[in-house]
Amino acid sequence: GAGVSQSPSNKVTEKGKDVELRCDPISGHTALYWYRQSLGQGLEFLIYFQGNSAPDKSGLPSDRFSAERTGGSVSTLTIQRTQQEDSAVYLCASHPTGGSYEQYFGPGTRLTVT
Amino acid sequence: SQQGEEDPQALSIQEGENATMNCSYKTSINNLQWYRQNSGRGLVHLILIRSNEREKHSGRLRVTLDTSKKSSSLLITASRAADTASYFCATAYGGATNKLIFGTGTLLAVQP
């Protein structure tokens, strides 16, 4: 079946602009995560959605970052007033409720802020 | 930071040789997972070992877990050029979120 998909695959934006990154999880997966991978910080957790529960936003680095998950499926990560330090690969992952907790990752969106 | 440490940071071996990567973490875990990443994009799950397990095998992969030392190792036997990738350990602490805390990664290069 289809895996986790993300769009766009690459995004170049000017400092100060807002960007939206999209994630389509595997159908039926109720848990969805966003991670960020950057050269200086490695791979870090950003936010977690599970069904209709309140998201865990504890990894978001600033209030310029927000995320939504509509209808328990597609998620959008929004970065407002982008800064150069936001340049990174943003990865989305999903998994079914329960089970082994292995996470299925999408290919990522490479964001470059100029 | 909760981030785990991996060593070595980089490893270069010849095809057919074995590769061993080590991971250390800081607090008690629910499970530990290993992922592979090619070309700086996407991660592929390789194997998961639970905190009450000590060793696990999957094909050419062997993972060990020592919770007393808070460490794990990944052994790839009879390596192939296609194994060239970055390898990350990731720890899960259970609870409501099950977010993964990733290690710093080992870059493995397998020379043909």
PDB file of all heavy atoms in Angstrom, chain B residues 46-85:
ATOM      1  N   LEU B  46      14.287  -0.635  10.963  1.00  0.00           N
ATOM      2  CA  LEU B  46      15.000  -1.898  10.794  1.00  0.00           C
ATOM      3  C   LEU B  46      14.558  -2.940  11.819  1.00  0.00           C
ATOM      4  O   LEU B  46      14.231  -4.075  11.473  1.00  0.00           O
ATOM      5  CB  LEU B  46      16.506  -1.675  10.929  1.00  0.00           C
ATOM      6  CG  LEU B  46      17.159  -0.796   9.852  1.00  0.00           C
ATOM      7  CD1 LEU B  46      18.635  -0.592  10.169  1.00  0.00           C
ATOM      8  CD2 LEU B  46      16.983  -1.403   8.474  1.00  0.00           C
ATOM      9  N   ILE B  47      14.582  -2.544  13.076  1.00  0.00           N
ATOM     10  CA  ILE B  47      14.326  -3.533  14.121  1.00  0.00           C
ATOM     11  C   ILE B  47      13.975  -2.817  15.421  1.00  0.00           C
ATOM     12  O   ILE B  47      14.444  -1.707  15.656  1.00  0.00           O
ATOM     13  CB  ILE B  47      15.565  -4.446  14.287  1.00  0.00           C
ATOM     14  CG1 ILE B  47      15.244  -5.690  15.096  1.00  0.00           C
ATOM     15  CG2 ILE B  47      16.747  -3.687  14.844  1.00  0.00           C
ATOM     16  CD1 ILE B  47      16.330  -6.779  14.987  1.00  0.00           C
ATOM     17  N   LEU B  48      13.152  -3.448  16.221  1.00  0.00           N
ATOM     18  CA  LEU B  48      12.747  -2.905  17.521  1.00  0.00           C
ATOM     19  C   LEU B  48      13.055  -3.947  18.587  1.00  0.00           C
ATOM     20  O   LEU B  48      12.775  -5.140  18.396  1.00  0.00           O
ATOM     21  CB  LEU B  48      11.252  -2.593  17.507  1.00  0.00           C
ATOM     22  CG  LEU B  48      10.585  -2.025  18.774  1.00  0.00           C
ATOM     23  CD1 LEU B  48       9.366  -1.193  18.378  1.00  0.00           C
ATOM     24  CD2 LEU B  48      10.161  -3.112  19.746  1.00  0.00           C
ATOM     25  N   ILE B  49      13.642  -3.491  19.692  1.00  0.00           N
ATOM     26  CA  ILE B  49      13.905  -4.387  20.812  1.00  0.00           C
ATOM     27  C   ILE B  49      13.283  -3.773  22.064  1.00  0.00           C
ATOM     28  O   ILE B  49      13.434  -2.571  22.316  1.00  0.00           O
ATOM     29  CB  ILE B  49      15.424  -4.653  20.972  1.00  0.00           C
ATOM     30  CG1 ILE B  49      15.668  -5.709  22.051  1.00  0.00           C
ATOM     31  CG2 ILE B  49      16.213  -3.371  21.238  1.00  0.00           C
ATOM     32  CD1 ILE B  49      17.087  -6.285  22.017  1.00  0.00           C
ATOM     33  N   ARG B  50      12.536  -4.558  22.801  1.00  0.00           N
ATOM     34  CA  ARG B  50      11.841  -4.059  23.976  1.00  0.00           C
ATOM     35  C   ARG B  50      12.760  -4.082  25.185  1.00  0.00           C
ATOM     36  O   ARG B  50      13.772  -4.800  25.210  1.00  0.00           O
ATOM     37  CB  ARG B  50      10.586  -4.893  24.250  1.00  0.00           C
ATOM     38  CG  ARG B  50       9.628  -4.884  23.084  1.00  0.00           C
ATOM     39  CD  ARG B  50       8.292  -5.501  23.387  1.00  0.00           C
ATOM     40  NE  ARG B  50       7.497  -5.630  22.174  1.00  0.00           N
ATOM     41  CZ  ARG B  50       6.865  -4.615  21.592  1.00  0.00           C
ATOM     42  NH1 ARG B  50       6.935  -3.417  22.107  1.00  0.00           N
ATOM     43  NH2 ARG B  50       6.164  -4.814  20.494  1.00  0.00           N
ATOM     44  N   SER B  51      12.409  -3.333  26.196  1.00  0.00           N
ATOM     45  CA  SER B  51      13.288  -3.181  27.350  1.00  0.00           C
ATOM     46  C   SER B  51      13.505  -4.492  28.099  1.00  0.00           C
ATOM     47  O   SER B  51      14.494  -4.649  28.805  1.00  0.00           O
ATOM     48  CB  SER B  51      12.737  -2.129  28.317  1.00  0.00           C
ATOM     49  OG  SER B  51      11.445  -2.511  28.758  1.00  0.00           O
ATOM     50  N   ASN B  52      12.598  -5.464  27.935  1.00  0.00           N
ATOM     51  CA  ASN B  52      12.764  -6.749  28.626  1.00  0.00           C
ATOM     52  C   ASN B  52      13.442  -7.799  27.733  1.00  0.00           C
ATOM     53  O   ASN B  52      13.531  -8.963  28.119  1.00  0.00           O
ATOM     54  CB  ASN B  52      11.424  -7.282  29.128  1.00  0.00           C
ATOM     55  CG  ASN B  52      10.446  -7.526  27.997  1.00  0.00           C
ATOM     56  OD1 ASN B  52      10.709  -7.195  26.842  1.00  0.00           O
ATOM     57  ND2 ASN B  52       9.299  -8.114  28.316  1.00  0.00           N
ATOM     58  N   GLU B  53      13.921  -7.376  26.568  1.00  0.00           N
ATOM     59  CA  GLU B  53      14.645  -8.278  25.670  1.00  0.00           C
ATOM     60  C   GLU B  53      16.120  -7.938  25.703  1.00  0.00           C
ATOM     61  O   GLU B  53      16.502  -6.784  25.928  1.00  0.00           O
ATOM     62  CB  GLU B  53      14.100  -8.161  24.238  1.00  0.00           C
ATOM     63  CG  GLU B  53      12.636  -8.585  24.116  1.00  0.00           C
ATOM     64  CD  GLU B  53      12.081  -8.361  22.720  1.00  0.00           C
ATOM     65  OE1 GLU B  53      12.268  -7.248  22.179  1.00  0.00           O
ATOM     66  OE2 GLU B  53      11.447  -9.293  22.187  1.00  0.00           O
ATOM     67  N   ARG B  54      16.948  -8.910  25.436  1.00  0.00           N
ATOM     68  CA  ARG B  54      18.397  -8.683  25.468  1.00  0.00           C
ATOM     69  C   ARG B  54      19.028  -8.798  24.098  1.00  0.00           C
ATOM     70  O   ARG B  54      20.082  -8.217  23.827  1.00  0.00           O
ATOM     71  CB  ARG B  54      19.057  -9.692  26.418  1.00  0.00           C
ATOM     72  CG  ARG B  54      18.694  -9.455  27.847  1.00  0.00           C
ATOM     73  CD  ARG B  54      19.181  -8.083  28.333  1.00  0.00           C
ATOM     74  NE  ARG B  54      18.590  -7.698  29.617  1.00  0.00           N
ATOM     75  CZ  ARG B  54      17.605  -6.823  29.725  1.00  0.00           C
ATOM     76  NH1 ARG B  54      17.083  -6.252  28.647  1.00  0.00           N
ATOM     77  NH2 ARG B  54      17.132  -6.525  30.918  1.00  0.00           N
ATOM     78  N   GLU B  55      18.411  -9.573  23.218  1.00  0.00           N
ATOM     79  CA  GLU B  55      18.979  -9.762  21.885  1.00  0.00           C
ATOM     80  C   GLU B  55      17.852 -10.053  20.913  1.00  0.00           C
ATOM     81  O   GLU B  55      16.865 -10.704  21.276  1.00  0.00           O
ATOM     82  CB  GLU B  55      19.969 -10.932  21.918  1.00  0.00           C
ATOM     83  CG  GLU B  55      20.747 -11.133  20.642  1.00  0.00           C
ATOM     84  CD  GLU B  55      21.870 -12.141  20.815  1.00  0.00           C
ATOM     85  OE1 GLU B  55      22.616 -12.036  21.806  1.00  0.00           O
ATOM     86  OE2 GLU B  55      21.986 -13.040  19.954  1.00  0.00           O
ATOM     87  N   LYS B  56      18.039  -9.582  19.683  1.00  0.00           N
ATOM     88  CA  LYS B  56      17.043  -9.829  18.654  1.00  0.00           C
ATOM     89  C   LYS B  56      17.743  -9.937  17.303  1.00  0.00           C
ATOM     90  O   LYS B  56      18.729  -9.243  17.058  1.00  0.00           O
ATOM     91  CB  LYS B  56      16.010  -8.704  18.637  1.00  0.00           C
ATOM     92  CG  LYS B  56      14.676  -9.104  18.060  1.00  0.00           C
ATOM     93  CD  LYS B  56      13.609  -8.124  18.506  1.00  0.00           C
ATOM     94  CE  LYS B  56      12.260  -8.571  17.989  1.00  0.00           C
ATOM     95  NZ  LYS B  56      11.181  -7.630  18.394  1.00  0.00           N
ATOM     96  N   HIS B  57      17.199 -10.783  16.441  1.00  0.00           N
ATOM     97  CA  HIS B  57      17.787 -10.981  15.119  1.00  0.00           C
ATOM     98  C   HIS B  57      16.735 -10.715  14.051  1.00  0.00           C
ATOM     99  O   HIS B  57      15.550 -10.990  14.234  1.00  0.00           O
ATOM    100  CB  HIS B  57      18.277 -12.426  14.961  1.00  0.00           C
ATOM    101  CG  HIS B  57      19.359 -12.810  15.901  1.00  0.00           C
ATOM    102  ND1 HIS B  57      20.668 -12.968  15.516  1.00  0.00           N
ATOM    103  CD2 HIS B  57      19.334 -13.059  17.235  1.00  0.00           C
ATOM    104  CE1 HIS B  57      21.394 -13.318  16.570  1.00  0.00           C
ATOM    105  NE2 HIS B  57      20.618 -13.381  17.620  1.00  0.00           N
ATOM    106  N   SER B  58      17.229 -10.197  12.923  1.00  0.00           N
ATOM    107  CA  SER B  58      16.367 -10.042  11.755  1.00  0.00           C
ATOM    108  C   SER B  58      17.259 -10.115  10.526  1.00  0.00           C
ATOM    109  O   SER B  58      18.006  -9.182  10.243  1.00  0.00           O
ATOM    110  CB  SER B  58      15.612  -8.707  11.795  1.00  0.00           C
ATOM    111  OG  SER B  58      14.839  -8.539  10.614  1.00  0.00           O
ATOM    112  N   GLY B  59      17.204 -11.246   9.830  1.00  0.00           N
ATOM    113  CA  GLY B  59      18.078 -11.410   8.678  1.00  0.00           C
ATOM    114  C   GLY B  59      19.541 -11.263   9.059  1.00  0.00           C
ATOM    115  O   GLY B  59      20.041 -11.941   9.950  1.00  0.00           O
ATOM    116  N   ARG B  60      20.228 -10.315   8.403  1.00  0.00           N
ATOM    117  CA  ARG B  60      21.649 -10.080   8.709  1.00  0.00           C
ATOM    118  C   ARG B  60      21.859  -9.124   9.870  1.00  0.00           C
ATOM    119  O   ARG B  60      22.992  -8.745  10.163  1.00  0.00           O
ATOM    120  CB  ARG B  60      22.334  -9.529   7.456  1.00  0.00           C
ATOM    121  CG  ARG B  60      22.382 -10.521   6.295  1.00  0.00           C
ATOM    122  CD  ARG B  60      23.173  -9.959   5.100  1.00  0.00           C
ATOM    123  NE  ARG B  60      22.520  -8.796   4.509  1.00  0.00           N
ATOM    124  CZ  ARG B  60      23.030  -7.566   4.546  1.00  0.00           C
ATOM    125  NH1 ARG B  60      24.184  -7.325   5.141  1.00  0.00           N
ATOM    126  NH2 ARG B  60      22.381  -6.572   3.965  1.00  0.00           N
ATOM    127  N   LEU B  61      20.803  -8.725  10.527  1.00  0.00           N
ATOM    128  CA  LEU B  61      20.899  -7.783  11.640  1.00  0.00           C
ATOM    129  C   LEU B  61      20.804  -8.497  12.982  1.00  0.00           C
ATOM    130  O   LEU B  61      20.001  -9.409  13.155  1.00  0.00           O
ATOM    131  CB  LEU B  61      19.770  -6.753  11.563  1.00  0.00           C
ATOM    132  CG  LEU B  61      19.606  -5.969  10.275  1.00  0.00           C
ATOM    133  CD1 LEU B  61      18.432  -5.006  10.397  1.00  0.00           C
ATOM    134  CD2 LEU B  61      20.882  -5.220   9.937  1.00  0.00           C
ATOM    135  N   ARG B  62      21.643  -8.037  13.907  1.00  0.00           N
ATOM    136  CA  ARG B  62      21.569  -8.529  15.284  1.00  0.00           C
ATOM    137  C   ARG B  62      21.652  -7.325  16.197  1.00  0.00           C
ATOM    138  O   ARG B  62      22.571  -6.521  16.090  1.00  0.00           O
ATOM    139  CB  ARG B  62      22.698  -9.506  15.585  1.00  0.00           C
ATOM    140  CG  ARG B  62      22.804  -9.916  17.057  1.00  0.00           C
ATOM    141  CD  ARG B  62      23.946 -10.917  17.254  1.00  0.00           C
ATOM    142  NE  ARG B  62      24.217 -11.137  18.667  1.00  0.00           N
ATOM    143  CZ  ARG B  62      25.287 -10.665  19.315  1.00  0.00           C
ATOM    144  NH1 ARG B  62      26.181  -9.948  18.672  1.00  0.00           N
ATOM    145  NH2 ARG B  62      25.459 -10.927  20.603  1.00  0.00           N
ATOM    146  N   VAL B  63      20.682  -7.202  17.075  1.00  0.00           N
ATOM    147  CA  VAL B  63      20.649  -6.090  18.022  1.00  0.00           C
ATOM    148  C   VAL B  63      20.747  -6.638  19.430  1.00  0.00           C
ATOM    149  O   VAL B  63      20.110  -7.633  19.758  1.00  0.00           O
ATOM    150  CB  VAL B  63      19.347  -5.283  17.864  1.00  0.00           C
ATOM    151  CG1 VAL B  63      19.181  -4.292  19.004  1.00  0.00           C
ATOM    152  CG2 VAL B  63      19.334  -4.552  16.544  1.00  0.00           C
ATOM    153  N   THR B  64      21.530  -5.974  20.246  1.00  0.00           N
ATOM    154  CA  THR B  64      21.591  -6.304  21.667  1.00  0.00           C
ATOM    155  C   THR B  64      21.193  -5.078  22.473  1.00  0.00           C
ATOM    156  O   THR B  64      21.332  -3.938  22.020  1.00  0.00           O
ATOM    157  CB  THR B  64      22.991  -6.765  22.086  1.00  0.00           C
ATOM    158  OG1 THR B  64      23.913  -5.699  21.854  1.00  0.00           O
ATOM    159  CG2 THR B  64      23.424  -7.991  21.299  1.00  0.00           C
ATOM    160  N   LEU B  65      20.699  -5.328  23.657  1.00  0.00           N
ATOM    161  CA  LEU B  65      20.294  -4.256  24.560  1.00  0.00           C
ATOM    162  C   LEU B  65      20.765  -4.590  25.965  1.00  0.00           C
ATOM    163  O   LEU B  65      20.503  -5.682  26.471  1.00  0.00           O
ATOM    164  CB  LEU B  65      18.771  -4.086  24.541  1.00  0.00           C
ATOM    165  CG  LEU B  65      18.197  -3.008  25.455  1.00  0.00           C
ATOM    166  CD1 LEU B  65      18.650  -1.623  25.010  1.00  0.00           C
ATOM    167  CD2 LEU B  65      16.675  -3.091  25.490  1.00  0.00           C
ATOM    168  N   ASP B  66      21.468  -3.655  26.568  1.00  0.00           N
ATOM    169  CA  ASP B  66      21.913  -3.793  27.952  1.00  0.00           C
ATOM    170  C   ASP B  66      21.334  -2.628  28.734  1.00  0.00           C
ATOM    171  O   ASP B  66      21.857  -1.517  28.702  1.00  0.00           O
ATOM    172  CB  ASP B  66      23.447  -3.794  28.019  1.00  0.00           C
ATOM    173  CG  ASP B  66      23.967  -4.105  29.413  1.00  0.00           C
ATOM    174  OD1 ASP B  66      23.248  -3.835  30.411  1.00  0.00           O
ATOM    175  OD2 ASP B  66      25.100  -4.604  29.524  1.00  0.00           O
ATOM    176  N   THR B  67      20.223  -2.876  29.424  1.00  0.00           N
ATOM    177  CA  THR B  67      19.548  -1.782  30.121  1.00  0.00           C
ATOM    178  C   THR B  67      20.338  -1.316  31.342  1.00  0.00           C
ATOM    179  O   THR B  67      20.198  -0.164  31.758  1.00  0.00           O
ATOM    180  CB  THR B  67      18.132  -2.189  30.542  1.00  0.00           C
ATOM    181  OG1 THR B  67      18.200  -3.416  31.282  1.00  0.00           O
ATOM    182  CG2 THR B  67      17.229  -2.375  29.330  1.00  0.00           C
ATOM    183  N   SER B  68      21.178  -2.186  31.897  1.00  0.00           N
ATOM    184  CA  SER B  68      21.978  -1.757  33.050  1.00  0.00           C
ATOM    185  C   SER B  68      23.034  -0.745  32.633  1.00  0.00           C
ATOM    186  O   SER B  68      23.389   0.156  33.403  1.00  0.00           O
ATOM    187  CB  SER B  68      22.634  -2.973  33.708  1.00  0.00           C
ATOM    188  OG  SER B  68      23.598  -3.548  32.861  1.00  0.00           O
ATOM    189  N   LYS B  69      23.520  -0.867  31.410  1.00  0.00           N
ATOM    190  CA  LYS B  69      24.510   0.084  30.894  1.00  0.00           C
ATOM    191  C   LYS B  69      23.867   1.142  30.013  1.00  0.00           C
ATOM    192  O   LYS B  69      24.553   2.022  29.495  1.00  0.00           O
ATOM    193  CB  LYS B  69      25.574  -0.662  30.089  1.00  0.00           C
ATOM    194  CG  LYS B  69      26.424  -1.620  30.914  1.00  0.00           C
ATOM    195  CD  LYS B  69      27.456  -2.310  30.057  1.00  0.00           C
ATOM    196  CE  LYS B  69      28.316  -3.258  30.901  1.00  0.00           C
ATOM    197  NZ  LYS B  69      29.307  -3.986  30.065  1.00  0.00           N
ATOM    198  N   LYS B  70      22.544   1.027  29.805  1.00  0.00           N
ATOM    199  CA  LYS B  70      21.833   1.956  28.929  1.00  0.00           C
ATOM    200  C   LYS B  70      22.541   2.036  27.570  1.00  0.00           C
ATOM    201  O   LYS B  70      22.921   3.118  27.104  1.00  0.00           O
ATOM    202  CB  LYS B  70      21.715   3.336  29.563  1.00  0.00           C
ATOM    203  CG  LYS B  70      20.823   3.357  30.800  1.00  0.00           C
ATOM    204  CD  LYS B  70      20.605   4.777  31.310  1.00  0.00           C
ATOM    205  CE  LYS B  70      19.554   4.807  32.414  1.00  0.00           C
ATOM    206  NZ  LYS B  70      19.881   3.969  33.561  1.00  0.00           N
ATOM    207  N   SER B  71      22.707   0.871  26.973  1.00  0.00           N
ATOM    208  CA  SER B  71      23.385   0.846  25.685  1.00  0.00           C
ATOM    209  C   SER B  71      22.819  -0.262  24.803  1.00  0.00           C
ATOM    210  O   SER B  71      22.220  -1.235  25.288  1.00  0.00           O
ATOM    211  CB  SER B  71      24.888   0.639  25.876  1.00  0.00           C
ATOM    212  OG  SER B  71      25.140  -0.634  26.412  1.00  0.00           O
ATOM    213  N   SER B  72      23.016  -0.086  23.500  1.00  0.00           N
ATOM    214  CA  SER B  72      22.569  -1.060  22.510  1.00  0.00           C
ATOM    215  C   SER B  72      23.614  -1.126  21.413  1.00  0.00           C
ATOM    216  O   SER B  72      24.365  -0.169  21.199  1.00  0.00           O
ATOM    217  CB  SER B  72      21.219  -0.645  21.924  1.00  0.00           C
ATOM    218  OG  SER B  72      20.817  -1.498  20.862  1.00  0.00           O
ATOM    219  N   SER B  73      23.656  -2.250  20.718  1.00  0.00           N
ATOM    220  CA  SER B  73      24.534  -2.345  19.564  1.00  0.00           C
ATOM    221  C   SER B  73      23.771  -2.973  18.408  1.00  0.00           C
ATOM    222  O   SER B  73      22.863  -3.789  18.602  1.00  0.00           O
ATOM    223  CB  SER B  73      25.777  -3.179  19.884  1.00  0.00           C
ATOM    224  OG  SER B  73      25.410  -4.524  20.119  1.00  0.00           O
ATOM    225  N   LEU B  74      24.147  -2.542  17.217  1.00  0.00           N
ATOM    226  CA  LEU B  74      23.589  -3.094  15.977  1.00  0.00           C
ATOM    227  C   LEU B  74      24.734  -3.721  15.200  1.00  0.00           C
ATOM    228  O   LEU B  74      25.726  -3.050  14.908  1.00  0.00           O
ATOM    229  CB  LEU B  74      22.927  -1.997  15.139  1.00  0.00           C
ATOM    230  CG  LEU B  74      22.489  -2.398  13.719  1.00  0.00           C
ATOM    231  CD1 LEU B  74      21.345  -3.401  13.774  1.00  0.00           C
ATOM    232  CD2 LEU B  74      22.085  -1.172  12.905  1.00  0.00           C
ATOM    233  N   LEU B  75      24.602  -4.980  14.883  1.00  0.00           N
ATOM    234  CA  LEU B  75      25.597  -5.692  14.088  1.00  0.00           C
ATOM    235  C   LEU B  75      24.980  -6.028  12.738  1.00  0.00           C
ATOM    236  O   LEU B  75      23.890  -6.612  12.683  1.00  0.00           O
ATOM    237  CB  LEU B  75      26.029  -6.978  14.798  1.00  0.00           C
ATOM    238  CG  LEU B  75      26.857  -7.983  13.980  1.00  0.00           C
ATOM    239  CD1 LEU B  75      28.229  -7.412  13.665  1.00  0.00           C
ATOM    240  CD2 LEU B  75      26.986  -9.312  14.714  1.00  0.00           C
ATOM    241  N   ILE B  76      25.651  -5.640  11.682  1.00  0.00           N
ATOM    242  CA  ILE B  76      25.258  -6.030  10.323  1.00  0.00           C
ATOM    243  C   ILE B  76      26.310  -7.017   9.838  1.00  0.00           C
ATOM    244  O   ILE B  76      27.495  -6.666   9.742  1.00  0.00           O
ATOM    245  CB  ILE B  76      25.189  -4.824   9.372  1.00  0.00           C
ATOM    246  CG1 ILE B  76      24.253  -3.742   9.921  1.00  0.00           C
ATOM    247  CG2 ILE B  76      24.743  -5.262   7.982  1.00  0.00           C
ATOM    248  CD1 ILE B  76      24.257  -2.449   9.112  1.00  0.00           C
ATOM    249  N   THR B  77      25.902  -8.219   9.553  1.00  0.00           N
ATOM    250  CA  THR B  77      26.858  -9.231   9.104  1.00  0.00           C
ATOM    251  C   THR B  77      26.917  -9.267   7.578  1.00  0.00           C
ATOM    252  O   THR B  77      25.968  -8.890   6.891  1.00  0.00           O
ATOM    253  CB  THR B  77      26.472 -10.624   9.625  1.00  0.00           C
ATOM    254  OG1 THR B  77      25.163 -10.957   9.131  1.00  0.00           O
ATOM    255  CG2 THR B  77      26.452 -10.652  11.140  1.00  0.00           C
ATOM    256  N   ALA B  78      28.063  -9.708   7.081  1.00  0.00           N
ATOM    257  CA  ALA B  78      28.253  -9.889   5.625  1.00  0.00           C
ATOM    258  C   ALA B  78      27.751  -8.669   4.855  1.00  0.00           C
ATOM    259  O   ALA B  78      26.857  -8.775   4.008  1.00  0.00           O
ATOM    260  CB  ALA B  78      27.537 -11.156   5.168  1.00  0.00           C
ATOM    261  N   SER B  79      28.317  -7.507   5.176  1.00  0.00           N
ATOM    262  CA  SER B  79      27.812  -6.255   4.620  1.00  0.00           C
ATOM    263  C   SER B  79      27.888  -6.215   3.103  1.00  0.00           C
ATOM    264  O   SER B  79      28.721  -6.894   2.478  1.00  0.00           O
ATOM    265  CB  SER B  79      28.580  -5.082   5.212  1.00  0.00           C
ATOM    266  OG  SER B  79      29.938  -5.165   4.843  1.00  0.00           O
ATOM    267  N   ARG B  80      26.989  -5.394   2.535  1.00  0.00           N
ATOM    268  CA  ARG B  80      26.917  -5.204   1.090  1.00  0.00           C
ATOM    269  C   ARG B  80      27.021  -3.719   0.795  1.00  0.00           C
ATOM    270  O   ARG B  80      26.721  -2.889   1.661  1.00  0.00           O
ATOM    271  CB  ARG B  80      25.579  -5.722   0.568  1.00  0.00           C
ATOM    272  CG  ARG B  80      25.281  -7.166   0.933  1.00  0.00           C
ATOM    273  CD  ARG B  80      23.832  -7.508   0.690  1.00  0.00           C
ATOM    274  NE  ARG B  80      23.537  -8.892   1.069  1.00  0.00           N
ATOM    275  CZ  ARG B  80      22.301  -9.382   1.188  1.00  0.00           C
ATOM    276  NH1 ARG B  80      21.255  -8.607   0.939  1.00  0.00           N
ATOM    277  NH2 ARG B  80      22.107 -10.647   1.546  1.00  0.00           N
ATOM    278  N   ALA B  81      27.385  -3.375  -0.412  1.00  0.00           N
ATOM    279  CA  ALA B  81      27.470  -1.959  -0.789  1.00  0.00           C
ATOM    280  C   ALA B  81      26.135  -1.260  -0.554  1.00  0.00           C
ATOM    281  O   ALA B  81      26.088  -0.087  -0.177  1.00  0.00           O
ATOM    282  CB  ALA B  81      27.902  -1.832  -2.245  1.00  0.00           C
ATOM    283  N   ALA B  82      25.038  -1.977  -0.729  1.00  0.00           N
ATOM    284  CA  ALA B  82      23.704  -1.395  -0.539  1.00  0.00           C
ATOM    285  C   ALA B  82      23.410  -1.052   0.912  1.00  0.00           C
ATOM    286  O   ALA B  82      22.427  -0.353   1.207  1.00  0.00           O
ATOM    287  CB  ALA B  82      22.634  -2.353  -1.067  1.00  0.00           C
ATOM    288  N   ASP B  83      24.238  -1.531   1.832  1.00  0.00           N
ATOM    289  CA  ASP B  83      24.062  -1.183   3.251  1.00  0.00           C
ATOM    290  C   ASP B  83      24.596   0.206   3.566  1.00  0.00           C
ATOM    291  O   ASP B  83      24.422   0.703   4.685  1.00  0.00           O
ATOM    292  CB  ASP B  83      24.765  -2.212   4.156  1.00  0.00           C
ATOM    293  CG  ASP B  83      24.151  -3.596   4.062  1.00  0.00           C
ATOM    294  OD1 ASP B  83      22.935  -3.699   3.828  1.00  0.00           O
ATOM    295  OD2 ASP B  83      24.906  -4.587   4.224  1.00  0.00           O
ATOM    296  N   THR B  84      25.270   0.822   2.608  1.00  0.00           N
ATOM    297  CA  THR B  84      25.795   2.163   2.818  1.00  0.00           C
ATOM    298  C   THR B  84      24.653   3.123   3.133  1.00  0.00           C
ATOM    299  O   THR B  84      23.726   3.274   2.331  1.00  0.00           O
ATOM    300  CB  THR B  84      26.563   2.642   1.576  1.00  0.00           C
ATOM    301  OG1 THR B  84      27.716   1.824   1.397  1.00  0.00           O
ATOM    302  CG2 THR B  84      26.976   4.094   1.714  1.00  0.00           C
ATOM    303  N   ALA B  85      24.710   3.751   4.291  1.00  0.00           N
ATOM    304  CA  ALA B  85      23.618   4.605   4.765  1.00  0.00           C
ATOM    305  C   ALA B  85      24.011   5.167   6.128  1.00  0.00           C
ATOM    306  O   ALA B  85      25.057   4.818   6.673  1.00  0.00           O
ATOM    307  CB  ALA B  85      22.326   3.803   4.900  1.00  0.00           C
TER     308      ALA B  85
END
